[in-house]
């Protein structure tokens, strides 16, 4: 099988390629424009493999992407390409609309064209999205299911919701084999330093303040990135034709609790008795900061027999080890 991966040099995309390479015999085509959040060193393990091909292209470059599709004839498209940092979207939403909405529209049109030309019913397109499209929850609300209405609250989540709505519209209008996945917060190796977990570790190691928005009580549902990637591989290989899956880790934590856990791990692993919690600094809350995200993953568990396999304690310990090694050698 030939799989066309858009945004494969970013955090989740590169881990997906790693898991795919470890578990499947596939030709992998990676298309990435190499934005600031991309890191080609994440893919050093596969760069010389004859079944891996990389193209530095923007997903909005329609004619150039079409040429790649015609040349390689993929059986599956999977789109990780996205602008993802909420704070950046609050500063300016232009790049978010360009990539997360217009870029998705380009890929959908190319897939529709390709599907029509090949008349191959086994083709599949997966749009990788976020739980943030649903808006936020109170502490007492039930977790999001696939039946929840979209209610995005910031420019980033609005752009992802718009991309998802385009996918839903192409499913309804053109009857195409398209799938949307909405995942909870990913963590693990290779995440960009702007994100909470690597930022916390980097700040602690450099004796800098560890910033936490507001009072730190905002809640997120965390999933180890490789568990997310395994769910995506299950969807690719599945004979089911469901078009919407929520992927969650069943692990809700307040931001402050998460940061304190990382601080304790650092003290233990470095064996230096330093109380990294002293570096925590509460900063002005993010505008429109969503209070709680939580995913009900029972649909994918029931229908694809997938479930998150990495406990948070194991996942966060390994993640801290990764960044300790990375940052101490920079």
């Amino acid at each position: 099988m030939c799989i066309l991966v858009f945004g494969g040099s970013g955090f989740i995309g590169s881990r997906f390629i790693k898991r795919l390479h470890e578990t499947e015999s596939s030709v992998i085509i990676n298309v990435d424009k190499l934005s600031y959040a991309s890191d080609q060193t994440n893919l050093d393990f596969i760069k010389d493999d004859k079944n891996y091909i990389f193209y530095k292209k923007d997903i909005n470059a329609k004619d150039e992407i079409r040429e790649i599709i015609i040349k390689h004839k993929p059986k599956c498209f999977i789109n990780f390409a996205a602008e993802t940092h909420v704070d950046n979207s609050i500063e300016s939403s232009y790049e978010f609309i360009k990539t997360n909405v217009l870029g998705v529209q380009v890929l959908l049109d190319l897939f529709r064209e390709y599907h029509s030309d090949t008349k191959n019913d086994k083709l599949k397109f997966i749009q990788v999205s976020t739980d943030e499209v649903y808006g936020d929850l109170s502490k007492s609300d039930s977790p999001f299911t696939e039946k929840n209405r979209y209610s995005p609250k910031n420019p980033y989540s609005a752009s992802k919701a718009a991309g998802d709505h385009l996918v839903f519209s192409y499913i309804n209008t053109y009857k195409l084999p398209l799938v949307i996945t909405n995942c909870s917060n990913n963590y693990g190796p290779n995440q960009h330093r702007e994100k909470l977990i690597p930022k916390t570790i980097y700040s602690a190691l450099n004796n800098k303040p560890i910033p936490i928005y507001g009072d730190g009580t905002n809640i997120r549902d965390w999933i180890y990135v490789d568990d997310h990637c395994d769910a995506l591989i299950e969807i690719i290989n599945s004979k089911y034709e469901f078009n919407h899956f929520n992927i969650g880790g069943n692990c809700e934590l307040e931001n402050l609790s998460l940061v304190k856990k990382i601080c304790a791990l650092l003290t233990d692993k470095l064996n230096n008795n330093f109380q990294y919690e002293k570096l925590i600094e509460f900063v002005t809350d993010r505008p429109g900061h969503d209070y709680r995200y939580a995913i009900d993953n029972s649909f994918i568990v029931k229908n694809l027999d997938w479930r998150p396999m990495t406990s948070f304690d194991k996942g966060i310990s390994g993640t801290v080890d990764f960044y300790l090694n990375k940052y101490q050698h920079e």
Side-chain angles (χ1 to χ4, degrees):
M1 180 186 292
C2 178
I3 297 179
L4 181 52
V5 182
F6 298 101
S9 299
F11 167 46
I12 303 175
S14 63
R15 296 300 292 188
F16 171 78
I17 289 175
K18 186 174 188 296
R19 292 298 292 161
L20 192 66
H21 182 66
E22 292 170 344
T23 61
E24 305 286 327
S25 178
S26 301
V27 175
I28 302 169
I29 313 299
N30 176 18
V31 176
D32 196 300
K33 72 176 182 179
L34 299 184
S35 70
Y36 77 97
S38 303
D39 187 349
Q40 286 293 72
T41 64
N42 294 346
L43 296 164
D44 282 349
F45 70 92
I46 199 176
K47 66 181 182 180
D48 296 322
D49 192 306
K50 63 181 177 60
N51 287 326
Y52 172 76
I53 301 169
F54 172 73
Y55 293 94
K56 184 182 178 182
K57 302 290 181 186
D58 189 314
I59 59 173
N60 283 286
K62 190 171 187 177
D63 292 339
E64 295 174 42
I65 302 296
R66 179 187 289 112
E67 290 176 4
I68 294 170
I69 294 168
I70 292 170
K71 179 177 180 179
H72 295 286
K73 299 178 174 57
K75 293 294 179 63
C76 178
F77 294 24
I78 182 164
N79 182 33
F80 297 95
E83 296 289 338
T84 65
H85 193 42
V86 175
D87 287 352
N88 291 347
S89 79
I90 292 170
E91 290 296 322
S92 174
S93 63
Y94 173 76
E95 290 296 329
F96 290 77
I97 302 302
K98 182 180 175 183
T99 299
N100 301 355
V101 184
L102 299 179
V104 171
Q105 185 263 329
V106 167
L107 297 185
L108 288 170
D109 277 351
L110 287 171
F111 183 79
R112 180 166 70 96
E113 178 184 295
Y114 178 56
H115 186 267
S116 176
D117 289 344
T118 60
K119 296 181 172 59
N120 186 341
D121 292 333
K122 295 183 179 180
L123 297 178
K124 192 173 290 186
F125 180 114
I126 300 171
Q127 170 68 9
V128 180
S129 190
T130 172
D131 56 359
E132 296 191 41
V133 299
Y134 294 118
D136 65 348
L137 299 166
S138 71
K139 205 159 193 174
S140 61
D141 286 333
S142 298
F144 299 123
T145 73
E146 289 83 355
K147 294 183 179 179
N148 276 87
R149 289 183 178 274
Y150 280 22
S151 183
K153 300 294 177 61
N154 58 65
Y156 159 65
S157 57
S159 69
K160 290 296 289 184
D164 287 6
H165 281 306
L166 279 172
V167 177
F168 284 127
S169 75
Y170 275 59
I171 292 169
N172 182 67
T173 305
Y174 304 112
K175 313 305 180 189
L176 293 171
L178 309 174
V179 179
I180 296 170
T181 63
N182 298 102
C183 191
S184 57
N185 279 41
N186 282 233
Y187 73 97
N190 301 330
Q191 195 168 24
H192 193 273
R193 193 179 292 170
E194 69 189 6
K195 299 296 185 177
L196 177 60
I197 291 174
K199 178 188 286 187
T200 296
I201 299 168
Y202 181 81
S203 297
L205 290 179
N206 288 276
N207 202 34
K208 294 181 177 180
I210 300 171
I212 296 182
Y213 283 127
D215 60 4
T217 59
N218 298 73
I219 298 169
R220 297 295 179 262
D221 179 8
W222 293 92
I223 184 170
Y224 189 64
V225 62
D226 289 355
D227 285 338
H228 178 198
C229 294
D230 288 346
L232 296 171
I233 292 170
E234 286 289 338
I235 292 168
I236 289 171
N237 292 329
S238 170
K239 68 177 185 291
Y240 292 98
E241 295 184 354
F242 302 122
N243 57 32
H244 195 190
F245 292 96
N246 279 355
I247 303 171
N250 299 327
C251 179
E252 293 184 53
L253 288 170
E254 290 187 351
N255 289 342
L256 181 58
S257 297
L258 170 61
V259 170
K260 285 183 176 181
K261 185 181 286 284
I262 294 170
C263 289
L265 281 170
L266 288 171
T267 298
D268 181 59
K269 290 176 181 293
L270 294 173
N271 194 28
N272 59 9
N273 294 319
F274 183 76
Q275 299 302 305
Y276 290 99
E277 283 189 28
K278 295 178 180 179
L279 297 173
I280 292 174
E281 179 179 276
F282 295 99
V283 299
T284 302
D285 206 359
R286 168 190 290 162
H289 197 182
D290 290 342
Y291 172 62
R292 171 179 170 239
Y293 303 141
I295 282 288
D296 180 340
N297 65 12
S298 58
F299 185 76
I300 189 171
V301 169
K302 176 182 177 181
N303 288 286
L304 297 188
D305 196 29
W306 167 91
R307 54 188 40 78
M309 301 300 292
T310 308
S311 70
F312 185 76
D313 285 345
K314 179 181 178 181
I316 196 63
S317 179
T319 299
V320 170
D321 287 341
F322 173 86
Y323 288 112
L324 279 175
N325 181 65
K326 177 180 174 66
Y327 294 149
Q328 287 178 330
H329 288 87
E330 285 187 350

